[in-house]
Amino acid sequence: MRIIKDNYTKALKVDDRQIINKLSDKIKSILKLEIDPTKMTERQFINVIIKDYNYYTGKDN
């Protein structure tokens, strides 16, 4: 999860959409998920994954 957070943070800082898309695709393939692009962006998806992880592990960062 640390790798996801680090790469996502770096991609956001430089607005690297390609990295964000690749990261999102990798998460979806590992978790076997599909998202509706009309309801959630790649950034929103990754944010939800990070927030859910933090909630279930009891971590704030």
Side-chain angles (χ1 to χ4, degrees):
M1 189 50 136
R2 181 183 54 78
I3 294 169
I4 292 171
K5 287 181 186 179
D6 289 347
N7 287 324
Y8 182 60
T9 302
K10 288 176 188 176
L12 283 178
K13 285 182 183 176
V14 295
D15 195 31
D16 190 339
R17 294 177 187 165
Q18 184 177 7
I19 296 294
I20 292 171
N21 287 338
K22 285 183 181 180
L23 188 58
S24 176
D25 289 343
K26 184 68 173 179
I27 293 168
K28 287 186 272 189
S29 71
I30 290 171
L31 297 178
K32 296 178 176 63
L33 296 174
E34 292 184 23
I35 61 168
D36 184 354
T38 62
K39 295 184 179 181
M40 184 180 288
T41 66
E42 303 293 334
R43 291 177 191 212
Q44 290 171 328
F45 171 70
I46 296 172
N47 278 326
V48 167
I49 294 295
I50 292 171
K51 285 179 184 178
D52 287 355
Y53 173 81
N54 290 337
Y55 176 79
Y56 287 110
T57 60
K59 297 180 181 177
D60 290 333
N61 293 334

